[in-house]
């Protein structure tokens, strides 16, 4: 299958571009810092003492600074929602975030500093006592006592431990099986940043502050002949015959200003400001639960009202129920915008705690809930294309239900001219969740003389037994119900033929298998006149 | 919410800790720190822990996701029977392996991380979890029933006699005898 360049460029281009820019930035920072410590005059003596370990550890430290500051930015959900516009690469927020954590090249940094510890001890300098960190020569290798684990060392070990806990709890398996472990360990990032600020304040590595009056390698009057000879030997290769410069004063060393504070403080302040804003916004207006409705296949619908809450179709919120758990926030997509409605399935693991909410509501003692949001999600972009394909798997129909509801209210105001809606379910009963909405929208569009606006295909992947939607009022759906899994290639071919020279937005909310298949098809469809742009929904 | 599966988290931690332990050991040996013998032990222990922890256990409830290429490791680890299935044994093993790392600066991180993993394994063991291998399911081959070898004893069911009768003028060509006598005019 030929790769459709136009689609590929639209789907994969921005992602690869951002990755390359980021790698280039990291490599540039590493190289620049490496060269500073390798060849600059103010680090001359320190470099002689520590060697390559100094350059590697400082260069990796600057890369760490860069990444620690960047890591926070994709998690500023409100800011991203505000900036959303038409920037599809912001949807890969979580992927970007996880790649950044991988890049925290901790092991390089730690290893290099370990080597530095040995170097500080072995090459203890009697000539420049201010530069030393060890208390005497050979403190690490020869004697029984460990070197004093000075401040940056202790904090460094603590940082690695916190990062270790966060990293091991954030793999996909843990997130899927025990979301709380992931959530609670990930909130240790506050501890991480606090210790990070303290870690860099140690001042173990010093630069020379009086390079003009004491150029490195200059000859001192009262220095031992061995040092003079060594200095002379090095300078001799560069400027033989030139007179040796005489030092006007002793070398003075100063620890440099912790650069990390500059790197990290801005994103940290931005993130803290955003959390504060979200906290105020969620606790300012109370949320009233209007009704709780139970649907077939253990699905619950929750209708709520909150004053001043104006979400757009396709957005999601974070729900927090203090009576269930004070710290957990779970994401839910909205299915209608006023009053806003949440629909969720009780068997999904991350939401199982919230099923206790259902029990509370069943006894009509509505618990207090807090709603944080609304936040943008890819489904908002459905209206920005002329033609959109929305694929929903099971309960993944919720973002599209909001879209359908918005179309039902007024389809004319949007740029969207045609919507292909494919819904794959395992159980026939699942289609009844939004059967009324689909039929209502179809009827409305027929009356408004736009019969080709909405194209619905329903697929039942469970092929056992005879199944059909028998109600008369759902005849529209029963004629579009197919048994078996959808054949995506045929669907794409049909859409491509009917919409040539157009950009089709493909939106998927469902199992990974479906979204992977769609993603591959978007990039490699044979209809090169139609560009299929893939937008993936993701929560975790 | 279902029970938290501590063993899964402990497994990820122990794998990462093994890597950290081995890396610290490599740095210690390469830099010839004092006590580099502990570092050498750290490398061996780290590699051993990685091999032991690589195969994931089958989850109590839900789908288990294998790590790439873990089948041969699963077979090896499974061969040790209760030694590897029991998480108490694993917890004490990790605790014992991590102790020598504490004597040397380069491996101290590996020691602490492995110690934490050992504690989580202890918690998993107390909650009654144990390691289950993820083995590919062998489908029983679809066998044809033995009855195919025996021919049927009875003829196939036939419609009732009134429907089986042939008309009198077709008696010669009939394939079977009439079950009841017929006269011409019927």
């Amino acid at each position: 299958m030929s790769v459709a360049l136009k689609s590929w460029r639209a789907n994969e281009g921005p992602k690869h571009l951002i990755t390359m820019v980021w790698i280039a930035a990291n490599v540039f920072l590493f190289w620049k810092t490496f060269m500073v410590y390798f060849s600059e005059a103010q680090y001359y003596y320190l470099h002689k003492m520590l060697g390559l370990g100094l350059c590697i550890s400082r260069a990796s430290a600057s890369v760490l600074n860069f990444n620690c500051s960047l890591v926070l930015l994709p998690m500023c959900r409100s800011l991203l929602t505000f900036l959303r516009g038409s920037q599809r690469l912001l949807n890969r927020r979580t992927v970007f975030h996880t790649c950044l954590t991988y890049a925290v090249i901790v092991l390089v940094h730690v290893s290099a500093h370990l080597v530095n510890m040995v170097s500080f001890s072995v090459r203890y300098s009697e000539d420049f006592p201010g530069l030393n960190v060890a208390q005497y020569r050979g403190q690490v290798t020869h004697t029984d006592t460990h070197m004093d684990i000075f401040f940056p060392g202790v904090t460094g070990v603590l940082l690695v431990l916190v990062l270790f806990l966060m990293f091991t709890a954030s793999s996909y398996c843990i997130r899927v099986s025990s979301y709380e472990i992931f959530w609670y360990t990930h909130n240790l990032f506050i501890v991480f940043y606090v210790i990070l600020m303290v870690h860099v304040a140690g001042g173990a590595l010093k630069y020379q502050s009086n390079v003009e009056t004491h150029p490195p390698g200059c000859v001192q009057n009262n220095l031992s002949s061995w040092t003079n000879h060594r200095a002379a030997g090095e300078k001799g290769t560069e400027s033989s015959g030139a007179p040796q410069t005489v030092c006007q004063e002793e070398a003075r060393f100063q620890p440099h200003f912790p650069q990390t504070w500059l790197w990290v403080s801005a994103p940290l302040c931005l993130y803290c400001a955003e959390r504060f804003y979200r906290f105020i916004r969620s606790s300012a207006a109370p949320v009233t639960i209007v009704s709780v409705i139970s649907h077939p296949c253990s699905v619950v619908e929750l209708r709520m009202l909150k004053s001043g809450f104006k979400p757009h179709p396709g957005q999601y919120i974070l729900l927090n129920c203090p009576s269930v758990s004070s710290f957990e926030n779970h994401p839910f997509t909205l299915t209608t915008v006023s009053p806003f409605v949440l629909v969720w399935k009780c068997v999904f693991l991350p939401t199982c705690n919230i099923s206790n909410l259902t029990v509370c509501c069943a006894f009509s003692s509505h618990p207090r809930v807090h709603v944080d949001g609304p936040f943008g999600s890819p489904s908002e972009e459905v209206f920005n294309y002329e033609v959109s394909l929305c694929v929903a798997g099971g309960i993944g129909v919720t973002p599209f239900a909001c879209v359908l509801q918005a179309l039902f209210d007024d389809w004319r105001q949007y740029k969207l001219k045609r919507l292909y809606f494919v819904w794959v379910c395992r159980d026939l009963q699942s289609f009844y969740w939004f059967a009324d909405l689909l039929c209502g929208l179809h009827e409305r569009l027929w009356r408004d003389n736009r019969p080709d606006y909405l194209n619905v295909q329903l697929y039942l992947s469970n092929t056992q037994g005879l199944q059909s939607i028998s109600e008369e009022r759902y005849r529209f759906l029963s004629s579009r119900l197919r048994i078996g899994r959808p054949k995506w290639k045929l669907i794409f071919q049909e859409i491509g033929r009917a919409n040539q020279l157009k950009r089709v937005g493909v939106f998927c909310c469902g199992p990974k298998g479906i979204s992977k298949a769609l993603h591959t098809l978007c990039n490699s469809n044979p209809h090169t006149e139609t560009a299929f742009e893939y937008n993936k929904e993701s929560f975790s | 919410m279902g029970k938290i599966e501590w063993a899964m988290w402990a497994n990820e931690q122990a794998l990462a800790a093994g890597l950290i332990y081995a890396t610290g050991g490599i740095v210690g040996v390469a830099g010839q720190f004092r006590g580099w013998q502990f570092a050498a032990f750290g490398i061996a222990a780290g590699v051993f822990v990685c091999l032991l922890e690589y195969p994931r256990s089958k989850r109590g409830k839900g789908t288990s996701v294998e790590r790439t290429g873990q089948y041969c490791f699963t077979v090896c680890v499974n061969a040790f029977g209760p030694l590897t299935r029991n998480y108490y044994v694993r917890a004490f093993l990790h605790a014992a392996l991590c102790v020598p790392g504490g004597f040397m600066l380069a491996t101290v991180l590996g020691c602490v991380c492995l110690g934490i993993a050992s504690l989580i394994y202890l918690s998993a063991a107390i909650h009654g979890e144990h390691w289950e291998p993820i083995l590919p399911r062998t489908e029983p081959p679809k066998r044809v029933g033995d009855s195919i070898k025996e021919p049927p004893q009875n003829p196939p069911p036939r419609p009732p006699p009134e429907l089986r009768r042939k008309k009198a003028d077709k008696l010669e060509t009939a394939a079977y005898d009439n079950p009841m006598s017929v006269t011409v005019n019927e």
Side-chain angles (χ1 to χ4, degrees):
Chain A
M1 197 168 314
S2 66
V3 174
L5 272 177
K6 204 160 57 156
S7 295
W8 189 91
R9 215 175 44 225
N11 290 328
E12 311 298 328
K15 179 173 76 171
H16 290 310
L17 185 66
I18 294 279
T19 313
M20 295 211 324
V21 165
W22 173 71
I23 291 179
N26 278 317
V27 168
F28 170 72
L29 263 176
F30 190 91
W31 181 246
K32 182 159 138 352
T33 322
F34 188 92
M35 292 315 289
V36 160
Y37 282 87
F38 195 71
S39 48
E40 291 263 313
Q42 69 252 38
Y43 295 113
Y44 179 77
Y45 291 117
L46 193 61
H47 179 63
K48 295 200 80 52
M49 191 192 262
L50 297 179
L52 215 53
L54 169 73
C55 307
I56 295 181
S57 65
R58 296 307 304 159
S60 55
S62 71
V63 170
L64 285 175
N65 278 342
F66 176 58
N67 287 311
C68 284
S69 66
L70 273 191
V71 140
L72 283 174
L73 292 179
M75 299 318 286
C76 296
R77 290 185 215 242
S78 300
L79 185 67
L80 288 182
T81 307
F82 182 67
L83 290 176
R84 184 157 279 272
S86 57
Q87 290 153 345
R88 267 166 57 244
L89 53 87
L90 287 175
N91 303 332
R92 313 201 196 280
R93 174 174 59 89
T94 326
V95 177
F96 196 57
H97 182 82
T98 43
C99 283
L100 281 176
T101 59
Y102 276 112
V104 183
I105 339 175
V106 176
L107 284 175
V108 172
H109 182 73
V110 170
S111 312
H113 271 311
L114 283 174
V115 173
N116 286 345
M117 295 264 295
V118 174
S119 307
F120 264 129
S121 138
V122 164
R123 305 198 200 136
Y124 181 83
S125 167
E126 286 96 2
D127 305 321
F128 303 107
L131 202 49
N132 288 308
V133 169
Q135 276 133 12
Y136 47 85
R137 183 178 289 275
Q139 187 179 10
V140 165
T141 40
H142 296 306
T143 64
D144 284 325
T145 56
H146 274 291
M147 238 162 114
D148 278 331
I149 310 289
F150 48 95
F151 216 38
V154 169
T155 46
V157 168
L158 283 175
L159 281 174
V160 174
L161 276 181
V162 169
L163 206 59
F164 166 75
L165 285 174
M166 281 169 58
F167 182 74
T168 51
S170 59
S171 73
Y172 175 71
C173 288
I174 307 266
R175 271 185 280 136
V176 163
S177 69
S178 327
Y179 195 77
E180 286 123 348
I181 294 182
F182 166 69
W183 175 255
Y184 287 116
T185 47
H186 236 63
N187 282 329
L188 288 174
F189 79 94
I190 307 165
V191 175
F192 178 84
Y193 276 96
V194 166
I195 303 182
L196 181 67
M197 301 297 214
V198 172
H199 172 71
V200 298
L205 295 175
K206 304 180 183 76
Y207 70 96
Q208 184 186 348
S209 50
N210 57 346
V211 179
E212 297 85 26
T213 48
H214 178 115
C218 66
V219 169
Q220 282 197 336
N221 292 330
N222 53 352
L223 223 49
S224 64
S225 63
W226 173 73
T227 319
N228 268 342
H229 180 73
R230 186 168 54 121
E234 285 162 8
K235 284 293 178 191
T237 51
E238 303 159 17
S239 51
S240 53
Q244 292 293 321
T245 46
V246 177
C247 308
Q248 287 150 26
E249 56 180 42
E250 291 273 339
R252 279 201 299 272
F253 299 100
Q254 250 187 324
H256 39 213
F257 179 74
Q259 254 191 355
T260 310
W261 291 353
L262 295 173
W263 280 100
V264 166
S265 50
L268 201 58
C269 287
L270 199 62
Y271 184 74
C272 290
E274 191 203 301
R275 288 305 293 257
F276 188 64
Y277 165 69
R278 274 164 53 183
F279 175 72
I280 298 288
R281 190 172 60 165
S282 73
S283 34
V287 175
T288 357
I289 298 182
V290 173
S291 64
V292 179
I293 304 165
S294 194
H295 286 278
C297 300
S298 49
V299 159
V300 175
E301 181 185 320
L302 194 67
R303 287 186 171 259
M304 294 183 278
L305 271 178
K306 180 173 169 172
S307 62
F309 187 67
K310 288 184 181 44
H312 297 296
Q315 289 188 321
Y316 71 96
I317 52 146
L318 291 175
L319 193 73
N320 170 260
C321 185
S323 55
V324 171
S325 160
S326 348
F327 296 113
E328 290 176 19
N329 290 312
H330 291 288
F332 292 101
T333 343
L334 303 170
T335 46
T336 52
V337 290
S338 64
F340 67 100
V341 176
L342 303 182
V343 172
W344 74 80
K345 205 166 156 72
C346 280
V347 293
F348 274 0
L349 284 173
T351 62
C352 268
N353 264 338
I354 306 285
S355 63
N356 295 338
L357 187 115
T358 322
V359 174
C360 288
C361 293
F363 290 106
S364 60
S365 58
H366 291 173
R368 210 165 42 104
V369 288
H370 293 298
V371 155
D372 192 6
F375 302 114
S377 83
S379 313
E380 281 182 87
E381 304 288 316
V382 174
F383 300 113
N384 294 341
Y385 289 92
E386 275 194 7
V387 182
S388 286
L389 166 65
C390 295
V391 176
I395 192 64
V397 72
T398 38
F400 305 125
C402 208
V403 166
L404 293 173
Q405 182 71 42
L407 288 176
F408 182 81
D409 292 332
D410 183 10
W411 58 269
R412 279 176 236 267
Q413 59 168 301
Y414 299 114
K415 184 178 162 190
L416 186 66
K417 297 274 178 293
R418 187 173 286 169
L419 178 65
Y420 291 87
F421 182 64
V422 177
W423 190 5
V424 187
C425 276
R426 223 175 271 168
D427 257 313
L428 189 70
Q429 298 295 316
S430 319
F431 292 123
Y432 288 96
W433 302 333
F434 295 108
D436 286 313
L437 175 61
L438 280 168
C439 293
L441 180 62
H442 168 74
E443 226 183 273
R444 169 93 193 255
L445 289 167
W446 264 89
R447 272 189 283 123
D448 292 345
N449 202 20
R450 288 295 299 269
D452 62 338
Y453 195 101
L454 180 67
N455 299 285
V456 173
Q457 290 181 18
L458 305 177
Y459 289 88
L460 193 61
S461 54
N462 177 10
T463 50
Q464 308 275 351
L466 270 174
Q467 299 173 86
S468 66
I469 301 177
S470 48
E471 285 88 346
E472 181 55 36
R473 62 178 197 258
Y474 297 142
R475 189 138 48 112
F476 162 68
L477 293 180
S478 66
S479 57
R480 282 157 179 76
L481 177 68
R482 290 160 216 220
I483 312 292
R485 297 227 165 112
K487 295 190 173 41
W488 301 114
K489 256 198 245 174
L490 295 178
I491 295 177
F492 270 67
Q493 269 177 11
E494 181 197 322
I495 297 179
R497 263 199 295 264
N499 299 287
Q500 302 204 357
L501 297 177
K502 294 227 171 90
R503 278 170 59 229
V504 178
V506 178
F507 299 87
C508 173
C509 185
K512 268 171 51 153
I514 296 184
S515 55
K516 249 201 199 125
L518 288 176
H519 198 165
T520 330
L521 268 176
C522 283
N523 284 337
S524 59
N525 78 87
H527 288 268
T528 45
E529 294 92 15
T530 329
F532 286 92
E533 294 185 14
Y534 179 72
N535 299 271
K536 184 182 183 300
E537 181 91 36
S538 75
F539 278 134
S540 58
Chain B
M1 172 75 193
K3 295 189 309 178
I4 293 181
E5 294 200 26
W6 295 101
M8 193 170 277
W9 189 27
N11 172 265
E12 301 276 334
Q13 286 203 329
L15 191 62
L19 282 170
I20 297 178
Y21 210 7
T23 313
I26 293 174
V27 168
V29 166
Q32 287 291 300
F33 285 21
R34 183 195 80 84
W36 61 269
Q37 294 89 344
F38 290 112
F41 174 82
I43 300 178
V47 169
F48 172 72
V49 164
C50 284
L51 291 174
L52 177 66
E53 298 292 339
Y54 191 72
R56 270 206 191 111
S57 161
K58 200 194 271 204
R59 279 179 63 187
K61 232 173 39 156
T63 46
S64 325
V65 180
E66 282 196 330
R67 288 203 177 101
T68 345
Q70 82 165 40
Y71 178 63
C72 34
F73 295 98
T74 312
V75 165
C76 296
V77 172
N78 200 21
F80 286 94
L83 270 185
T84 41
R85 265 189 225 264
N86 193 318
Y87 283 149
Y88 280 109
V89 172
R90 270 202 209 195
F92 289 126
L93 175 70
H94 289 328
L97 282 177
C98 83
V99 163
F103 291 107
M104 204 209 150
L105 183 64
T107 46
V108 107
L109 259 178
C111 161
V112 178
C113 294
L114 200 55
I116 296 177
S118 155
L119 285 173
I120 311 271
Y121 261 129
L122 192 64
S123 158
I126 293 173
H127 281 96
E129 298 174 29
H130 63 276
W131 189 82
E132 272 290 327
I134 303 179
L135 294 167
R137 251 186 338 178
T138 48
E139 298 270 342
K142 286 219 174 88
R143 285 181 31 220
V144 182
D146 281 335
S147 63
I148 205 165
K149 296 190 182 98
E150 294 166 28
Q153 305 290 338
N154 299 316
R158 293 183 192 211
E162 326 53 276
L163 298 177
R164 269 191 279 146
R165 64 182 183 181
K166 288 279 185 200
K167 289 216 164 52
D169 51 358
K170 294 201 174 76
L171 270 177
E172 294 80 25
T173 54
Y176 48 81
D177 295 333
N178 244 346
M180 48 212 290
S181 55
V182 291
T183 55
V184 176
N185 285 335
E186 278 179 301

